[in-house]
Amino acid sequence: MSKYQNKLMEYIESHPEFIQPESRKNEMVNNFLKPGLQDLCVSRTSFTWGIPVEFDPGHIVYVWIDALSNYISALGYKNEKFDEFDKYWPADVHMVAKDIMRFHAIIWPAMLMALDLPLPKHLAVHGWITFNGQKMSKSLGNVVDPFVLGERYGADAIRYHILREMALGADSSFSNEIMINRINSDLANGLGNLVSRTVAMVQKYFGGTLPTERESGEFDDDLIETATSLRAKVDDFMDKTQLQNALAEIFKLVSRANKYIDETAPWVIAKDETKKARLATVLYNLLEAIRIACTLLSAFMPTTMPKALEQIGACDKCAGYENCDKFGVLPADVTVHKGDALFPRIDVEKEIEELNSIIKNNEGESEETKALREELEGVAQIGIDDFAKVDLRVCEVKTCEPVKKSKKLLQFTIFDGVKDRTVVSGIANYYKPDELIGKKIILVQNLKPAKLCGVESCGMILSAVHGDDLKVVFVDNMPVGSKIC
């Protein structure tokens, strides 16, 4: 590491965009580079799992050296299995949490310099999500179940809230009240209400399809300028990985469009039969503003935004990123399609009470989450020495047939690389015998023999269970006798 200290310092100083935000760059420079980089031992002797050092079996490659190299080996560097290294390296962005910043800002760049490879263009360092100002902790009882939130409000709303609240580099305090108020203000009252009002007015005043006659008026130019200048601003923030600011900019257009409704008062214009062209222009301008906002929001809310674009009559081509700086893309005679509310308004007090009860009592969990939590909480922790006692081996199924007098059991002849052995497994309800013959499976090889329906079973086949489903773990690309570790 010491060999690359000056080179790293020069690179960071000449590439101010490399580590963002700047406060994180200063932390790396002042705490590690200026005091002098210490050489790093790239192996460990305190455990046995991992990649062994070839010339000294007592040493295991330090996991961070192993893990960081996966960024390029998984793309095909120095191997023939993959071939996307030239396409994807150097990465445009590495996004990491602040607690692993040193590995990505100093150790990884030094490794790449040693290999004479380009560094990632940008390292974006984010903070932690805290709960009411505290780090989430099971002992404090403040752990939030993302499955519960996703089921209640939709993943898009939760993703939007987290990205809108979290400034790059800083911690973000999550609370149920902040989240619900954000969903109500931005998504329900802001965007959702804009889409709903606009579509409803097109249906009420024109039967769902706008006429093609147009008449410009006051306030049009300001709305159009806000809409057409938006993409460049969002692009700039996205290039800096300032997602919070990008979202804030998009919602300035949403707010401007809602204000435009109040300024133009379409319900007043509709009373004058001679103003049909002006009314159509106002509603068309609103639909175009919505199109631009929702297209840019699709990167953040990929499930909900297509529904919004469908409601305003935007085809796939109209809703393309390349059209986000253009106004007048929707057909002049666009037809809208009323749909369900995109983001229903939430009763804050009632919802807070229910969520607090969920956190306290684990109520309202999905069946999947509840089953997984109960299973994990009921499993005793073991040490690495306990795990090492289990001998897992790749074996091949030679024969398979039902066990007489049993509806659930199958009897196997399994080759473990040295000899054949008999194994009985209760998977007859999930597999037919001929589906398993010739397959390579993982066997718990040193399990004490047991008799099942009169047949002695010498081992246990590894499988995964989820609800009522069961799948045997197949490893057809591994040689028989390979040890699982």
Side-chain angles (χ1 to χ4, degrees), residues 149-169:
L149 299 182
E151 287 174 356
R152 294 178 79 87
Y153 316 116
D156 278 4
I158 306 307
R159 184 188 298 108
Y160 169 78
H161 165 68
I162 291 172
L163 295 176
R164 182 69 177 83
E165 289 290 327
M166 179 174 273
L168 182 67

Side-chain angles (χ1 to χ4, degrees), residues 160-378:
Y160 169 78
H161 165 68
I162 291 172
L163 295 176
R164 182 69 177 83
E165 289 290 327
M166 179 174 273
L168 182 67
D171 290 346
S172 175
S173 182
F174 179 96
S175 78
N176 294 325
E177 188 170 6
I178 293 174
M179 174 192 66
I180 294 169
N181 283 329
R182 173 69 72 183
I183 292 174
N184 277 343
S185 62
D186 289 9
L187 301 183
N189 296 345
L191 179 62
N193 192 40
L194 173 63
V195 174
S196 178
R197 292 171 74 187
T198 304
V199 170
M201 286 189 289
V202 174
Q203 287 194 318
K204 179 178 180 179
Y205 301 132
F206 296 110
T209 300
L210 289 181
T212 57
E213 295 81 6
R214 296 287 183 265
E215 179 185 329
S216 300
E218 191 180 5
F219 309 114
D220 292 359
D221 290 344
D222 189 55
L223 176 66
I224 293 171
E225 167 61 24
T226 302
T228 54
S229 64
L230 175 60
R231 194 185 83 173
K233 297 174 184 176
V234 171
D235 282 355
D236 182 54
F237 286 127
M238 293 296 281
D239 286 342
K240 298 173 183 176
T241 331
Q242 296 177 7
L243 309 185
Q244 179 196 39
N245 293 336
L247 284 169
E249 205 64 42
I250 295 172
F251 272 82
K252 286 181 182 178
L253 174 58
V254 173
S255 297
R256 184 66 192 87
N258 274 315
K259 182 181 178 183
Y260 179 76
I261 294 178
D262 296 333
E263 291 169 337
T264 56
W267 50 90
V268 175
I269 301 175
K271 294 178 181 179
D272 188 341
E273 287 295 324
T274 66
K275 294 290 185 180
K276 291 290 185 181
R278 176 57 186 155
L279 179 59
T281 302
V282 168
L283 295 179
Y284 182 83
N285 289 345
L286 287 169
L287 291 174
E288 276 289 87
I290 293 170
R291 174 188 63 81
I292 291 172
C294 289
T295 299
L296 292 172
L297 283 171
S298 295
F300 303 91
M301 294 185 278
T303 301
T304 313
M305 289 308 99
K307 298 176 183 177
L309 291 163
E310 181 182 4
Q311 289 192 31
I312 66 168
C315 62
D316 290 342
K317 184 176 181 180
C318 294
Y321 169 82
E322 67 279 1
N323 288 323
C324 285
D325 59 351
K326 302 179 180 67
F327 209 86
V329 173
L330 288 171
D333 58 349
V334 60
T335 298
V336 300
H337 311 278
K338 184 172 177 57
D340 296 333
L342 299 173
F343 302 101
R345 184 170 175 79
I346 304 168
D347 184 321
V348 179
E349 291 186 7
K350 181 180 178 182
E351 197 68 15
I352 294 285
E353 186 177 342
E354 290 189 20
L355 286 176
N356 288 339
S357 175
I358 289 170
I359 293 173
K360 183 177 180 180
N361 303 313
N362 292 316
E363 297 171 355
E365 293 178 319
S366 65
E367 289 302 316
E368 180 183 49
T369 305
K370 185 176 180 180
L372 181 59
R373 176 181 56 78
E374 290 177 348
E375 182 178 346
L376 292 175
E377 289 177 353

